[in-house]
PDB file of all heavy atoms in Angstrom:
ATOM      1  N   MET A  35      -6.049  50.103 -35.127  1.00  0.00           N
ATOM      2  CA  MET A  35      -5.894  51.092 -36.189  1.00  0.00           C
ATOM      3  C   MET A  35      -7.034  50.897 -37.184  1.00  0.00           C
ATOM      4  O   MET A  35      -7.184  49.820 -37.769  1.00  0.00           O
ATOM      5  CB  MET A  35      -4.548  50.916 -36.879  1.00  0.00           C
ATOM      6  CG  MET A  35      -4.373  51.723 -38.147  1.00  0.00           C
ATOM      7  SD  MET A  35      -4.031  53.459 -37.867  1.00  0.00           S
ATOM      8  CE  MET A  35      -2.284  53.386 -37.400  1.00  0.00           C
ATOM      9  N   HIS A  63      -7.417  54.037 -33.121  1.00  0.00           N
ATOM     10  CA  HIS A  63      -6.700  55.054 -33.879  1.00  0.00           C
ATOM     11  C   HIS A  63      -7.548  55.424 -35.083  1.00  0.00           C
ATOM     12  O   HIS A  63      -7.774  54.610 -35.971  1.00  0.00           O
ATOM     13  CB  HIS A  63      -5.339  54.524 -34.335  1.00  0.00           C
ATOM     14  CG  HIS A  63      -4.382  55.576 -34.793  1.00  0.00           C
ATOM     15  ND1 HIS A  63      -4.736  56.549 -35.701  1.00  0.00           N
ATOM     16  CD2 HIS A  63      -3.078  55.827 -34.460  1.00  0.00           C
ATOM     17  CE1 HIS A  63      -3.699  57.340 -35.927  1.00  0.00           C
ATOM     18  NE2 HIS A  63      -2.686  56.928 -35.187  1.00  0.00           N
ATOM     19  N   ALA A  64      -8.062  56.658 -35.094  1.00  0.00           N
ATOM     20  CA  ALA A  64      -8.904  57.117 -36.200  1.00  0.00           C
ATOM     21  C   ALA A  64      -8.119  57.047 -37.518  1.00  0.00           C
ATOM     22  O   ALA A  64      -6.887  57.104 -37.528  1.00  0.00           O
ATOM     23  CB  ALA A  64      -9.382  58.541 -35.939  1.00  0.00           C
ATOM     24  N   PRO A  65      -8.813  56.932 -38.662  1.00  0.00           N
ATOM     25  CA  PRO A  65      -8.136  56.776 -39.957  1.00  0.00           C
ATOM     26  C   PRO A  65      -7.554  58.093 -40.463  1.00  0.00           C
ATOM     27  O   PRO A  65      -8.136  58.776 -41.311  1.00  0.00           O
ATOM     28  CB  PRO A  65      -9.252  56.257 -40.869  1.00  0.00           C
ATOM     29  CG  PRO A  65     -10.509  56.793 -40.269  1.00  0.00           C
ATOM     30  CD  PRO A  65     -10.283  56.808 -38.784  1.00  0.00           C
ATOM     31  N   CYS A  66      -6.367  58.432 -39.948  1.00  0.00           N
ATOM     32  CA  CYS A  66      -5.719  59.713 -40.253  1.00  0.00           C
ATOM     33  C   CYS A  66      -4.577  59.599 -41.252  1.00  0.00           C
ATOM     34  O   CYS A  66      -4.007  60.623 -41.651  1.00  0.00           O
ATOM     35  CB  CYS A  66      -5.177  60.340 -38.965  1.00  0.00           C
ATOM     36  SG  CYS A  66      -6.384  60.543 -37.641  1.00  0.00           S
ATOM     37  N   LEU A  67      -4.181  58.386 -41.621  1.00  0.00           N
ATOM     38  CA  LEU A  67      -3.032  58.200 -42.492  1.00  0.00           C
ATOM     39  C   LEU A  67      -3.406  58.451 -43.950  1.00  0.00           C
ATOM     40  O   LEU A  67      -4.585  58.400 -44.325  1.00  0.00           O
ATOM     41  CB  LEU A  67      -2.491  56.773 -42.358  1.00  0.00           C
ATOM     42  CG  LEU A  67      -2.105  56.301 -40.956  1.00  0.00           C
ATOM     43  CD1 LEU A  67      -1.665  54.851 -41.017  1.00  0.00           C
ATOM     44  CD2 LEU A  67      -1.031  57.184 -40.366  1.00  0.00           C
ATOM     45  N   LEU A  68      -2.394  58.680 -44.791  1.00  0.00           N
ATOM     46  CA  LEU A  68      -2.659  58.846 -46.215  1.00  0.00           C
ATOM     47  C   LEU A  68      -3.313  57.602 -46.799  1.00  0.00           C
ATOM     48  O   LEU A  68      -4.176  57.684 -47.674  1.00  0.00           O
ATOM     49  CB  LEU A  68      -1.354  59.157 -46.949  1.00  0.00           C
ATOM     50  CG  LEU A  68      -0.765  60.559 -46.723  1.00  0.00           C
ATOM     51  CD1 LEU A  68       0.580  60.676 -47.439  1.00  0.00           C
ATOM     52  CD2 LEU A  68      -1.720  61.638 -47.204  1.00  0.00           C
ATOM     53  N   PRO A  78     -11.775  65.516 -41.546  1.00  0.00           N
ATOM     54  CA  PRO A  78     -11.111  65.011 -40.337  1.00  0.00           C
ATOM     55  C   PRO A  78     -11.988  65.086 -39.092  1.00  0.00           C
ATOM     56  O   PRO A  78     -11.899  64.218 -38.220  1.00  0.00           O
ATOM     57  CB  PRO A  78      -9.877  65.910 -40.202  1.00  0.00           C
ATOM     58  CG  PRO A  78     -10.219  67.146 -40.973  1.00  0.00           C
ATOM     59  CD  PRO A  78     -11.084  66.695 -42.102  1.00  0.00           C
ATOM     60  N   ILE A  82     -13.376  61.912 -36.637  1.00  0.00           N
ATOM     61  CA  ILE A  82     -13.250  61.861 -35.177  1.00  0.00           C
ATOM     62  C   ILE A  82     -14.587  61.504 -34.538  1.00  0.00           C
ATOM     63  O   ILE A  82     -14.657  60.640 -33.649  1.00  0.00           O
ATOM     64  CB  ILE A  82     -12.724  63.203 -34.639  1.00  0.00           C
ATOM     65  CG1 ILE A  82     -11.269  63.407 -35.082  1.00  0.00           C
ATOM     66  CG2 ILE A  82     -12.818  63.239 -33.107  1.00  0.00           C
ATOM     67  CD1 ILE A  82     -10.718  64.776 -34.750  1.00  0.00           C
ATOM     68  N   VAL A  98      -7.425  57.985 -30.720  1.00  0.00           N
ATOM     69  CA  VAL A  98      -6.180  58.646 -31.122  1.00  0.00           C
ATOM     70  C   VAL A  98      -6.397  59.356 -32.453  1.00  0.00           C
ATOM     71  O   VAL A  98      -6.917  58.762 -33.403  1.00  0.00           O
ATOM     72  CB  VAL A  98      -5.039  57.617 -31.277  1.00  0.00           C
ATOM     73  CG1 VAL A  98      -3.769  58.284 -31.802  1.00  0.00           C
ATOM     74  CG2 VAL A  98      -4.781  56.911 -29.950  1.00  0.00           C
ATOM     75  N   VAL A  99      -5.996  60.637 -32.517  1.00  0.00           N
ATOM     76  CA  VAL A  99      -6.121  61.389 -33.764  1.00  0.00           C
ATOM     77  C   VAL A  99      -4.810  62.114 -34.062  1.00  0.00           C
ATOM     78  O   VAL A  99      -3.984  62.324 -33.171  1.00  0.00           O
ATOM     79  CB  VAL A  99      -7.272  62.413 -33.703  1.00  0.00           C
ATOM     80  CG1 VAL A  99      -8.587  61.718 -33.397  1.00  0.00           C
ATOM     81  CG2 VAL A  99      -7.003  63.509 -32.680  1.00  0.00           C
ATOM     82  N   HIS A 100      -4.625  62.482 -35.330  1.00  0.00           N
ATOM     83  CA  HIS A 100      -3.481  63.278 -35.724  1.00  0.00           C
ATOM     84  C   HIS A 100      -3.840  64.757 -35.706  1.00  0.00           C
ATOM     85  O   HIS A 100      -5.009  65.112 -35.897  1.00  0.00           O
ATOM     86  CB  HIS A 100      -3.021  62.889 -37.128  1.00  0.00           C
ATOM     87  CG  HIS A 100      -2.302  61.585 -37.181  1.00  0.00           C
ATOM     88  ND1 HIS A 100      -1.708  61.099 -38.328  1.00  0.00           N
ATOM     89  CD2 HIS A 100      -2.053  60.645 -36.219  1.00  0.00           C
ATOM     90  CE1 HIS A 100      -1.139  59.928 -38.087  1.00  0.00           C
ATOM     91  NE2 HIS A 100      -1.346  59.627 -36.804  1.00  0.00           N
ATOM     92  N   PRO A 101      -2.861  65.626 -35.527  1.00  0.00           N
ATOM     93  CA  PRO A 101      -3.131  67.061 -35.623  1.00  0.00           C
ATOM     94  C   PRO A 101      -3.459  67.446 -37.055  1.00  0.00           C
ATOM     95  O   PRO A 101      -3.193  66.679 -37.995  1.00  0.00           O
ATOM     96  CB  PRO A 101      -1.809  67.693 -35.157  1.00  0.00           C
ATOM     97  CG  PRO A 101      -0.774  66.674 -35.472  1.00  0.00           C
ATOM     98  CD  PRO A 101      -1.428  65.348 -35.264  1.00  0.00           C
ATOM     99  N   PRO A 102      -4.029  68.628 -37.266  1.00  0.00           N
ATOM    100  CA  PRO A 102      -4.393  69.039 -38.622  1.00  0.00           C
ATOM    101  C   PRO A 102      -3.175  69.374 -39.472  1.00  0.00           C
ATOM    102  O   PRO A 102      -2.129  69.783 -38.958  1.00  0.00           O
ATOM    103  CB  PRO A 102      -5.243  70.296 -38.398  1.00  0.00           C
ATOM    104  CG  PRO A 102      -4.767  70.830 -37.081  1.00  0.00           C
ATOM    105  CD  PRO A 102      -4.416  69.634 -36.258  1.00  0.00           C
ATOM    106  N   TYR A 103      -3.337  69.198 -40.782  1.00  0.00           N
ATOM    107  CA  TYR A 103      -2.368  69.780 -41.703  1.00  0.00           C
ATOM    108  C   TYR A 103      -2.531  71.301 -41.660  1.00  0.00           C
ATOM    109  O   TYR A 103      -3.590  71.817 -41.276  1.00  0.00           O
ATOM    110  CB  TYR A 103      -2.583  69.262 -43.119  1.00  0.00           C
ATOM    111  CG  TYR A 103      -2.244  67.800 -43.295  1.00  0.00           C
ATOM    112  CD1 TYR A 103      -3.246  66.842 -43.478  1.00  0.00           C
ATOM    113  CD2 TYR A 103      -0.923  67.381 -43.261  1.00  0.00           C
ATOM    114  CE1 TYR A 103      -2.919  65.503 -43.630  1.00  0.00           C
ATOM    115  CE2 TYR A 103      -0.594  66.043 -43.409  1.00  0.00           C
ATOM    116  CZ  TYR A 103      -1.597  65.110 -43.591  1.00  0.00           C
ATOM    117  OH  TYR A 103      -1.272  63.779 -43.727  1.00  0.00           O
ATOM    118  N   GLN A 106      -5.653  72.869 -43.052  1.00  0.00           N
ATOM    119  CA  GLN A 106      -6.967  72.475 -42.532  1.00  0.00           C
ATOM    120  C   GLN A 106      -7.402  73.457 -41.433  1.00  0.00           C
ATOM    121  O   GLN A 106      -7.415  73.146 -40.244  1.00  0.00           O
ATOM    122  CB  GLN A 106      -6.913  71.044 -41.992  1.00  0.00           C
ATOM    123  CG  GLN A 106      -6.709  70.001 -43.094  1.00  0.00           C
ATOM    124  CD  GLN A 106      -6.587  68.593 -42.554  1.00  0.00           C
ATOM    125  OE1 GLN A 106      -5.884  68.341 -41.579  1.00  0.00           O
ATOM    126  NE2 GLN A 106      -7.282  67.649 -43.186  1.00  0.00           N
ATOM    127  N   TYR A 109     -10.376  72.472 -39.087  1.00  0.00           N
ATOM    128  CA  TYR A 109      -9.984  71.474 -38.093  1.00  0.00           C
ATOM    129  C   TYR A 109      -9.160  72.129 -36.983  1.00  0.00           C
ATOM    130  O   TYR A 109      -9.324  71.810 -35.807  1.00  0.00           O
ATOM    131  CB  TYR A 109      -9.203  70.364 -38.799  1.00  0.00           C
ATOM    132  CG  TYR A 109      -8.758  69.213 -37.917  1.00  0.00           C
ATOM    133  CD1 TYR A 109      -9.363  68.933 -36.695  1.00  0.00           C
ATOM    134  CD2 TYR A 109      -7.730  68.369 -38.341  1.00  0.00           C
ATOM    135  CE1 TYR A 109      -8.938  67.864 -35.910  1.00  0.00           C
ATOM    136  CE2 TYR A 109      -7.305  67.296 -37.575  1.00  0.00           C
ATOM    137  CZ  TYR A 109      -7.911  67.057 -36.365  1.00  0.00           C
ATOM    138  OH  TYR A 109      -7.484  66.003 -35.582  1.00  0.00           O
ATOM    139  N   LEU A 113     -10.120  72.077 -32.974  1.00  0.00           N
ATOM    140  CA  LEU A 113      -9.246  71.641 -31.887  1.00  0.00           C
ATOM    141  C   LEU A 113      -9.215  72.664 -30.757  1.00  0.00           C
ATOM    142  O   LEU A 113      -9.228  72.308 -29.579  1.00  0.00           O
ATOM    143  CB  LEU A 113      -7.825  71.420 -32.401  1.00  0.00           C
ATOM    144  CG  LEU A 113      -7.488  70.106 -33.093  1.00  0.00           C
ATOM    145  CD1 LEU A 113      -6.014  70.084 -33.468  1.00  0.00           C
ATOM    146  CD2 LEU A 113      -7.819  68.908 -32.222  1.00  0.00           C
ATOM    147  N   ALA A 129      -7.406  62.064 -27.925  1.00  0.00           N
ATOM    148  CA  ALA A 129      -6.033  62.505 -27.667  1.00  0.00           C
ATOM    149  C   ALA A 129      -5.299  62.729 -28.982  1.00  0.00           C
ATOM    150  O   ALA A 129      -5.391  61.914 -29.905  1.00  0.00           O
ATOM    151  CB  ALA A 129      -5.298  61.471 -26.811  1.00  0.00           C
ATOM    152  N   VAL A 130      -4.553  63.837 -29.043  1.00  0.00           N
ATOM    153  CA  VAL A 130      -3.869  64.256 -30.265  1.00  0.00           C
ATOM    154  C   VAL A 130      -2.401  63.843 -30.204  1.00  0.00           C
ATOM    155  O   VAL A 130      -1.721  64.074 -29.197  1.00  0.00           O
ATOM    156  CB  VAL A 130      -3.987  65.782 -30.452  1.00  0.00           C
ATOM    157  CG1 VAL A 130      -3.288  66.215 -31.748  1.00  0.00           C
ATOM    158  CG2 VAL A 130      -5.451  66.213 -30.466  1.00  0.00           C
ATOM    159  N   GLU A 131      -1.926  63.270 -31.288  1.00  0.00           N
ATOM    160  CA  GLU A 131      -0.562  62.735 -31.347  1.00  0.00           C
ATOM    161  C   GLU A 131       0.444  63.814 -31.755  1.00  0.00           C
ATOM    162  O   GLU A 131       0.175  64.615 -32.654  1.00  0.00           O
ATOM    163  CB  GLU A 131      -0.542  61.588 -32.359  1.00  0.00           C
ATOM    164  CG  GLU A 131       0.703  60.751 -32.357  1.00  0.00           C
ATOM    165  CD  GLU A 131       0.531  59.491 -33.182  1.00  0.00           C
ATOM    166  OE1 GLU A 131      -0.576  59.227 -33.695  1.00  0.00           O
ATOM    167  OE2 GLU A 131       1.531  58.749 -33.310  1.00  0.00           O
ATOM    168  N   ASN A 132       1.603  63.825 -31.101  1.00  0.00           N
ATOM    169  CA  ASN A 132       2.682  64.710 -31.535  1.00  0.00           C
ATOM    170  C   ASN A 132       3.265  64.212 -32.860  1.00  0.00           C
ATOM    171  O   ASN A 132       3.445  63.016 -33.060  1.00  0.00           O
ATOM    172  CB  ASN A 132       3.796  64.782 -30.480  1.00  0.00           C
ATOM    173  CG  ASN A 132       4.451  63.434 -30.216  1.00  0.00           C
ATOM    174  OD1 ASN A 132       3.780  62.463 -29.855  1.00  0.00           O
ATOM    175  ND2 ASN A 132       5.764  63.363 -30.377  1.00  0.00           N
ATOM    176  N   MET A 133       3.571  65.147 -33.763  1.00  0.00           N
ATOM    177  CA  MET A 133       4.103  64.773 -35.069  1.00  0.00           C
ATOM    178  C   MET A 133       5.520  65.322 -35.233  1.00  0.00           C
ATOM    179  O   MET A 133       6.190  65.592 -34.236  1.00  0.00           O
ATOM    180  CB  MET A 133       3.162  65.256 -36.173  1.00  0.00           C
ATOM    181  CG  MET A 133       1.771  64.624 -36.091  1.00  0.00           C
ATOM    182  SD  MET A 133       1.759  62.803 -36.171  1.00  0.00           S
ATOM    183  CE  MET A 133       2.127  62.529 -37.878  1.00  0.00           C
ATOM    184  N   HIS A 146       2.169  69.563 -40.594  1.00  0.00           N
ATOM    185  CA  HIS A 146       1.115  69.611 -39.592  1.00  0.00           C
ATOM    186  C   HIS A 146       1.177  70.884 -38.765  1.00  0.00           C
ATOM    187  O   HIS A 146       2.261  71.376 -38.442  1.00  0.00           O
ATOM    188  CB  HIS A 146       1.212  68.417 -38.635  1.00  0.00           C
ATOM    189  CG  HIS A 146       0.873  67.114 -39.259  1.00  0.00           C
ATOM    190  ND1 HIS A 146       1.818  66.315 -39.867  1.00  0.00           N
ATOM    191  CD2 HIS A 146      -0.305  66.452 -39.373  1.00  0.00           C
ATOM    192  CE1 HIS A 146       1.236  65.211 -40.322  1.00  0.00           C
ATOM    193  NE2 HIS A 146      -0.042  65.269 -40.036  1.00  0.00           N
ATOM    194  N   ALA A 147       0.011  71.407 -38.420  1.00  0.00           N
ATOM    195  CA  ALA A 147      -0.093  72.430 -37.393  1.00  0.00           C
ATOM    196  C   ALA A 147      -0.256  71.730 -36.051  1.00  0.00           C
ATOM    197  O   ALA A 147      -0.524  70.530 -35.988  1.00  0.00           O
ATOM    198  CB  ALA A 147      -1.296  73.334 -37.662  1.00  0.00           C
ATOM    199  N   ASN A 148      -0.103  72.453 -34.957  1.00  0.00           N
ATOM    200  CA  ASN A 148      -0.296  71.882 -33.615  1.00  0.00           C
ATOM    201  C   ASN A 148       0.513  70.596 -33.446  1.00  0.00           C
ATOM    202  O   ASN A 148       0.051  69.633 -32.824  1.00  0.00           O
ATOM    203  CB  ASN A 148      -1.777  71.594 -33.351  1.00  0.00           C
ATOM    204  CG  ASN A 148      -2.650  72.814 -33.497  1.00  0.00           C
ATOM    205  OD1 ASN A 148      -3.151  73.056 -34.578  1.00  0.00           O
ATOM    206  ND2 ASN A 148      -2.812  73.584 -32.444  1.00  0.00           N
ATOM    207  N   HIS A 166       8.269  59.758 -33.073  1.00  0.00           N
ATOM    208  CA  HIS A 166       7.993  61.097 -33.602  1.00  0.00           C
ATOM    209  C   HIS A 166       8.813  62.148 -32.855  1.00  0.00           C
ATOM    210  O   HIS A 166       9.348  63.085 -33.468  1.00  0.00           O
ATOM    211  CB  HIS A 166       6.510  61.424 -33.479  1.00  0.00           C
ATOM    212  CG  HIS A 166       5.625  60.587 -34.345  1.00  0.00           C
ATOM    213  ND1 HIS A 166       4.248  60.731 -34.378  1.00  0.00           N
ATOM    214  CD2 HIS A 166       5.920  59.585 -35.221  1.00  0.00           C
ATOM    215  CE1 HIS A 166       3.739  59.864 -35.221  1.00  0.00           C
ATOM    216  NE2 HIS A 166       4.725  59.149 -35.741  1.00  0.00           N
ATOM    217  N   HIS A 189       2.550  55.987 -27.666  1.00  0.00           N
ATOM    218  CA  HIS A 189       2.962  55.101 -28.751  1.00  0.00           C
ATOM    219  C   HIS A 189       4.449  54.856 -28.578  1.00  0.00           C
ATOM    220  O   HIS A 189       5.271  55.750 -28.798  1.00  0.00           O
ATOM    221  CB  HIS A 189       2.697  55.740 -30.114  1.00  0.00           C
ATOM    222  CG  HIS A 189       1.280  55.631 -30.562  1.00  0.00           C
ATOM    223  ND1 HIS A 189       0.773  56.363 -31.616  1.00  0.00           N
ATOM    224  CD2 HIS A 189       0.249  54.855 -30.112  1.00  0.00           C
ATOM    225  CE1 HIS A 189      -0.492  56.048 -31.782  1.00  0.00           C
ATOM    226  NE2 HIS A 189      -0.829  55.141 -30.890  1.00  0.00           N
ATOM    227  N   GLU A 230       3.704  50.454 -30.957  1.00  0.00           N
ATOM    228  CA  GLU A 230       3.352  50.740 -32.344  1.00  0.00           C
ATOM    229  C   GLU A 230       4.637  50.641 -33.159  1.00  0.00           C
ATOM    230  O   GLU A 230       5.405  51.594 -33.268  1.00  0.00           O
ATOM    231  CB  GLU A 230       2.727  52.129 -32.476  1.00  0.00           C
ATOM    232  CG  GLU A 230       2.126  52.373 -33.847  1.00  0.00           C
ATOM    233  CD  GLU A 230       1.627  53.795 -34.025  1.00  0.00           C
ATOM    234  OE1 GLU A 230       2.465  54.717 -34.064  1.00  0.00           O
ATOM    235  OE2 GLU A 230       0.399  53.971 -34.108  1.00  0.00           O
TER     236      GLU A 230
END
Side-chain angles (χ1 to χ4, degrees):
M35 170 77 77
H63 196 311
C66 306
L67 304 177
L68 288 176
I82 292 173
V98 175
V99 302
H100 286 185
Y103 291 108
Q106 292 177 315
Y109 182 21
L113 278 182
V130 181
E131 191 169 356
N132 61 303
M133 298 302 287
H146 291 90
N148 303 91
H166 293 180
H189 280 167
E230 190 186 68

